Amino acid sequence: MKQVNKSIPKIDGMGLAKGKPAFTDDLTDSNAIIVKILRSPHAFARIKNINVQKAVKYPGVECVFTYKDVPRNVFTRAGQGFPEPSPKDKFILDEYVRYVGDEVAIIAAATEETAEQAMKLIDVEYEVFEPVLDFEKAENNKSIIHPEKEPYTMFPMGFDPKKNIACIYDMHVGDVDEVLKNSEVIIDKIYYTQAQAHVAIEPHSSTAYIDPYERLNIITSTQTPVHLRRIIGEALGMPINKIRVVKPRVGGGFGGKQQIHGELFCALVTLKTGRPSKCIYSRKEVFESSFSRHAMRLNIKIGAEKNGKLKAIDLRILSDTGAYGEHALTVFMIAGSKTLPLYNKVDAVRFGGTVVYTNHTPAGAYRGYGAIQGNFALESAMDELADKLNIDPIELRKMNMIKEGETSEIFKIMGEGGEGTAQIIESCKLDYCLNRGSEMFKWNNKYHKKQINNDKVRGVGMAIAMQGSGIPNMDMGAALLKLNDDGFFNLLIGATDIGTGSDTILAQIAAETLNVPVDDIIVYASDSDLTPFDCGAYASSTTFVSGNGVKKAAEKMKNLLISEGAKHLQIDIEDTIFDGKLIKSKDGKKSISLKEISKGWLYYYGQGQKQIIAADSYVGKKSPPPYMAGFVEVEVDTKTGHFNIIDYTAVVDCGTTINPKLALGQMEGGLLQGIGMAVYEDVKYNKFGQMLTNNLMNYKIPTREDVPNINVEFADSYEPSGPYGAKSVGEIGIDTPPAAISNAIFNAVGVRITDLPITPEKVLMAIKKKEGK
């Protein structure tokens, strides 16, 4: 392979490094109206009266919207496939506000200062209700968060808003209760995971304008431009042929930009005034008024024989979706479907639970969603079993984990939005990941705790994980290749690069297929008018799904070149080849260069001119999981509970790494975010539902200095269904840190923290409790 499995720089890297205007705010009209949002100070209330007259008359104000001035169409903000597996429970503006930061009014003015001043002139009278702030008390609470009649779902999912239930799900294989009753050893534990903020560098940003064709154009930092266009059309009651959505460069997404944010507000203002508008969230708004990870309570039971063979797994989850139901079902399903197949040799397995509404900031998509929560419970419980049986945690996993050529009943029962898809695992190097990781990490030398001095002890922990590569039979990626004069190509893709380098990856796949340099592939991406359909950047789909679409389009282009070249050379297609530079006969006696023939097709009158274009698409029939093994060493101060992460080692099976350098960046970034969830990050509220961690002074995220050593290697693996053997790598890195770190702390000081994040205070209190103090 000449272009694939090569660490070439990002194709846009130099331009971004030079500060070229590329992001939404860079591309906004300099005369754009500023859009600001008046937000609720209450966690749960109804607007009894709202008076905007003073604000409307304030000099420089263009317009003000309340719930009385906008269409009342119910929708979901989740940028997902259709029919959407999220409750439709949101309005552009509503008389009810359901969390601190919910939208009350939209203000558009000439300047930000004017908009802020006008906002203060809006008089709002609220009827304040008792909020639901404890998700364990949400079901059947006397406070009903969605009392309105309009919300509905597009297929049955146990949706019952009168009970504050967004969805319910249950499945089982075998008689779990009977198998557990007959198991020789049982682990029965409860784990808690917290809400986590995305903290992308670029805040949510959008701008809108009307073009000469009287169409609404929206430029926005989104992960899902085509889904966003559909949602905007639905919310506004507007045909989508009047809407164009363009994604420029995005300064980080992590799932937070899979939903829509300020785009609707810009659209309303621009449609009313005819003028360009822009809405850039403040950092406070990003924290309070966008989305976070779903907090969960996970009850897990594991039954096993005394020799370590697993017999049954029972996982029950309660999930907090916050004020609205975006991704309520999908995140919940992934907590089971991307964890339980790791151990496919059990006799019985059960999964289910409930997703409830609360008056918290809405939860939504976040990198590794569901899987990281489920993995924390499952991999922690596995270590508890290993300790109880006095078995090395690595050996326990080797005994029970899925292997290449095997399958799991879970695959065909459960999927991201509902039913699953049966699949045989054709690439699984988990055994290699464990062996190589333990070797790199020197597990056998470190496994038992090591006393550094009287107060400090070191311990090690590990965990394994799996993810997916797109959503089978649902996610689609398409590509179009156009041959230009002088023999270079335009690659048009709907896939959305959100800083991952996917434009570069897809260019490499096209170049490899055509046997041309990557420099000859000019990428245009993510314009709902000009580029082909793509599901968007979520579910680890881009390399696998969009990459397969690009490969198919490039193969079609190669066949077209051979066909047209054979006509030009007056030889049979079967005797014609294309080597990236020349279209020639197999014996080499006749040839014409790609550059020459491209000019002939386009320039020379009377020579059969034609534009050569190839397009194709791909829908996955399976979702081949990437796998990894993570190992961590911590040093714990037994007097204070403070601990340092000394080393994190990961070995990953993501199939062929199309661009090893970019894959490494994804892994290191994912590991650091996983460490953030495990140790540092925690969305906190006071008793009134006001977020306390709404700025970067109060919300701690890890930096590279917090983890001195991160070591990542990739297994030699090849996935037959992937483009050039590739699987996904975007999410797998985030999954293992919570369980691995919890396991390491237990192995160091003998206490287990079951609620994230793992803080020095929790460790110290657990140590003191263990000592009877």
Side-chain angles (χ1 to χ4, degrees):
M1 292 188 284
K2 295 180 180 179
Q3 306 299 333
V4 165
N5 202 217
K6 299 291 185 293
S7 293
I8 69 167
K10 285 185 182 180
I11 58 176
D12 60 347
M14 188 56 70
L16 295 177
K18 290 180 177 179
K20 300 293 184 184
F23 298 88
T24 298
D25 203 18
D26 300 328
L27 305 177
T28 301
D29 189 298
S30 59
N31 295 315
I33 302 170
I34 306 301
V35 178
K36 301 295 288 186
I37 310 300
L38 175 65
R39 299 189 178 277
S40 171
H42 304 291
F44 191 24
R46 186 178 68 85
I47 300 170
K48 293 175 67 177
N49 187 46
I50 182 166
N51 190 327
V52 300
Q53 293 305 310
K54 293 178 184 177
V56 169
K57 295 176 181 178
Y58 192 79
V61 170
E62 293 285 336
C63 57
V64 178
F65 294 90
T66 72
Y67 73 91
K68 300 175 183 178
D69 309 306
V70 298
R72 187 170 173 81
N73 297 320
V74 68
F75 61 97
T76 173
R77 293 174 295 180
Q80 298 174 278
F82 188 87
E84 297 143 313
S86 289
K88 297 202 173 190
D89 57 10
K90 186 73 174 77
F91 302 94
I92 302 172
L93 296 171
D94 192 13
E95 64 177 317
Y96 285 92
V97 286
R98 298 176 175 86
Y99 67 97
V100 175
D102 207 350
E103 300 90 1
V104 173
I106 304 165
I107 302 96
T111 67
E112 185 169 353
E113 182 181 4
T114 300
E116 296 280 3
Q117 290 298 320
M119 192 184 302
K120 296 175 183 177
L121 300 176
I122 299 175
D123 295 321
V124 188
E125 182 184 356
Y126 296 97
E127 179 184 3
V128 180
F129 305 125
E130 183 71 25
V132 180
L133 300 175
D134 183 344
F135 77 112
E136 293 183 288
K137 298 178 180 178
E139 187 174 347
N140 291 316
N141 196 288
K142 64 180 181 180
S143 293
I144 300 172
I145 296 170
H146 284 276
E148 68 276 21
K149 297 179 180 179
E150 293 93 336
Y152 70 99
T153 60
M154 299 193 77
F155 52 86
M157 59 175 70
F159 180 61
D160 192 348
K162 292 181 180 180
K163 295 181 179 180
N164 289 332
I165 294 174
C167 66
I168 296 175
Y169 178 82
D170 282 286
M171 62 75 63
H172 71 277
V173 177
D175 190 334
V176 174
D177 292 328
E178 183 67 20
V179 175
L180 282 172
K181 185 173 71 174
N182 294 318
S183 295
E184 295 175 321
V185 182
I186 294 177
I187 299 296
D188 187 353
K189 299 289 291 188
I190 300 176
Y191 298 89
Y192 288 87
T193 62
Q194 80 283 33
Q196 182 186 18
H198 298 80
V199 202
I201 292 176
E202 180 198 25
H204 302 297
S205 307
S206 52
T207 181
Y209 66 93
I210 303 294
D211 67 19
Y213 300 97
E214 293 297 305
R215 298 175 74 237
L216 175 67
N217 285 242
I218 298 171
I219 302 172
T220 178
S221 57
T222 180
Q223 296 176 223
T224 53
V226 177
H227 291 320
L228 188 144
R229 177 181 62 178
R230 169 174 50 80
I231 295 167
I232 289 174
E234 185 176 7
L236 296 177
M238 182 176 178
I240 62 172
N241 67 357
K242 298 295 185 182
I243 305 169
R244 177 188 180 191
V245 176
V246 177
K247 177 210 72 78
R249 296 293 93 184
V250 174
F254 313 128
K257 293 171 183 172
Q258 188 178 336
Q259 295 85 204
I260 67 171
H261 298 280
E263 296 89 352
L264 272 171
F265 312 139
C266 286
L268 281 164
V269 169
T270 292
L271 289 170
K272 183 175 180 64
T273 65
R275 293 181 56 188
S277 65
K278 75 171 181 178
C279 181
I280 312 295
Y281 276 29
S282 68
R283 184 59 61 181
K284 182 173 183 285
E285 284 181 298
V286 173
F287 274 111
E288 291 185 347
S289 306
S290 59
F291 297 88
S292 64
R293 189 184 294 285
H294 290 74
M296 291 186 181
R297 183 192 71 201
L298 304 102
N299 297 60
I300 186 166
K301 292 181 183 178
I302 294 179
E305 296 176 354
K306 288 181 180 179
N307 64 3
K309 184 184 183 303
L310 297 186
K311 301 295 290 180
I313 302 175
D314 187 8
L315 180 59
R316 307 291 300 176
I317 295 177
L318 180 67
S319 177
D320 179 3
T321 193
Y324 300 100
E326 288 93 355
H327 290 94
L329 176 65
T330 48
V331 171
F332 179 84
M333 296 292 283
I334 291 297
S337 66
K338 294 294 189 290
T339 56
L340 297 175
L342 275 171
Y343 302 107
N344 65 327
K345 299 172 178 64
V346 295
D347 297 335
V349 61
R350 182 165 56 198
F351 173 78
T354 306
V355 184
V356 294
Y357 288 108
T358 65
N359 293 112
H360 288 147
T361 293
Y366 192 143
R367 189 181 201 166
Y369 68 38
I372 188 171
Q373 294 101 314
N375 188 274
F376 172 57
L378 179 60
E379 288 298 277
S380 296
M382 284 295 289
D383 254 51
E384 297 211 43
L385 178 62
D387 178 67
K388 194 167 186 176
L389 297 176
N390 196 27
I391 298 176
D392 186 303
I394 293 178
E395 297 308 315
L396 180 65
R397 287 167 173 83
K398 285 182 179 179
M399 189 187 310
N400 293 285
M401 69 190 189
I402 194 168
K403 303 283 199 314
E404 197 164 276
E406 297 179 350
T407 188
S408 167
E409 287 290 307
I410 304 298
F411 289 133
K412 67 181 180 182
I413 297 173
M414 294 175 62
E416 184 156 342
E419 294 184 1
T421 301
Q423 60 177 331
I424 301 295
I425 299 303
E426 297 182 89
S427 61
C428 175
K429 304 303 180 189
L430 252 181
D431 50 355
Y432 173 85
C433 293
L434 279 168
N435 291 333
R436 177 58 182 152
S438 61
E439 176 188 344
M440 291 169 59
F441 188 72
K442 297 182 173 56
W443 174 267
N444 290 336
N445 296 333
K446 296 178 178 179
Y447 174 43
H448 297 290
K449 72 177 182 180
K450 180 179 179 182
Q451 197 81 28
I452 304 302
N453 56 40
N454 290 337
D455 297 334
K456 294 186 178 179
V457 182
R458 287 191 179 183
V460 297
M462 56 81 57
I464 60 174
M466 61 173 283
Q467 267 291 340
S469 300
I471 307 174
N473 300 312
M474 186 178 297
D475 286 349
M476 193 266 270
L480 184 149
L481 276 160
K482 176 171 73 77
L483 175 66
N484 299 302
D485 48 326
D486 208 36
F488 71 96
F489 300 87
N490 289 128
L491 173 62
L492 280 68
I493 48 175
T496 51
D497 191 328
I498 55 174
T500 57
S502 63
D503 284 359
T504 306
I505 296 290
L506 298 179
Q508 286 180 264
I509 291 171
E512 181 70 33
T513 309
L514 291 168
N515 199 22
V516 301
V518 172
D519 287 346
D520 285 351
I521 307 293
I522 311 302
V523 178
Y524 289 91
S526 308
D527 182 322
S528 65
D529 270 9
L530 304 181
T531 56
F533 179 88
D534 192 279
C535 61
Y538 63 84
S540 294
S541 62
T542 304
T543 296
F544 183 79
V545 175
S546 306
N548 267 319
V550 168
K551 187 170 184 286
K552 288 179 69 178
E555 287 168 345
K556 189 174 285 188
M557 171 60 77
K558 186 175 181 179
N559 290 334
L560 282 173
L561 293 174
I562 290 171
S563 175
E564 294 297 327
K567 292 178 187 176
H568 181 90
L569 297 172
Q570 297 183 327
I571 58 177
D572 291 337
I573 291 177
E574 293 78 11
D575 293 327
T576 310
I577 59 174
F578 173 56
D579 65 5
K581 293 182 180 180
L582 299 174
I583 303 168
K584 58 186 180 182
S585 59
K586 290 181 178 178
D587 60 15
K589 292 181 180 179
K590 289 186 175 184
S591 67
I592 185 170
S593 73
L594 178 63
K595 289 189 176 184
E596 288 177 308
I597 203 166
S598 65
K599 290 177 181 178
W601 276 322
L602 298 171
Y603 286 164
Y604 304 146
Y605 301 134
Q607 299 298 313
Q609 297 134 295
K610 67 189 303 182
Q611 175 67 66
I612 303 298
I613 291 176
D616 215 325
S617 57
Y618 176 83
V619 178
K621 300 302 179 185
K622 59 186 298 187
S623 179
Y627 297 95
M628 73 164 289
F631 302 80
V632 65
E633 182 175 15
V634 300
E635 183 175 285
V636 185
D637 187 325
T638 58
K639 295 296 184 185
T640 65
H642 180 78
F643 58 93
N644 291 315
I645 297 170
I646 307 300
D647 172 73
Y648 207 105
T649 295
V651 182
V652 187
D653 165 16
C654 61
T656 301
T657 50
I658 302 294
N659 189 312
K661 194 170 187 178
L662 295 181
L664 178 62
Q666 286 297 294
M667 276 302 305
E668 290 181 341
L671 284 169
L672 204 60
Q673 278 189 309
I675 290 168
M677 179 172 174
V679 177
Y680 298 100
E681 303 182 48
D682 192 5
V683 174
K684 293 182 178 180
Y685 299 88
N686 66 14
K687 64 180 181 180
F688 303 108
Q690 297 166 326
M691 189 181 291
L692 301 173
T693 51
N694 60 6
N695 58 67
L696 287 170
M697 291 294 290
N698 294 333
Y699 190 84
K700 165 70 173 172
I701 60 173
T703 69
R704 192 64 179 84
E705 292 182 353
D706 293 311
V707 187
N709 297 301
I710 293 180
N711 304 297
V712 177
E713 274 193 9
F714 295 99
D716 183 7
S717 177
Y718 187 91
E719 169 53 46
S721 65
Y724 297 104
K727 298 188 282 189
S728 71
V729 76
E731 293 183 283
I732 185 66
I734 201 171
D735 289 337
T736 60
I741 293 170
S742 174
N743 294 338
I745 288 173
F746 176 82
N747 289 329
V749 293
V751 300
R752 181 166 295 281
I753 309 303
T754 57
D755 58 316
L756 298 181
I758 305 165
T759 63
E761 293 84 356
K762 291 177 184 177
V763 174
L764 181 60
M765 292 300 291
I767 290 173
K768 288 188 175 295
K769 183 178 180 180
K770 180 186 174 187
E771 294 173 348
K773 297 181 180 180

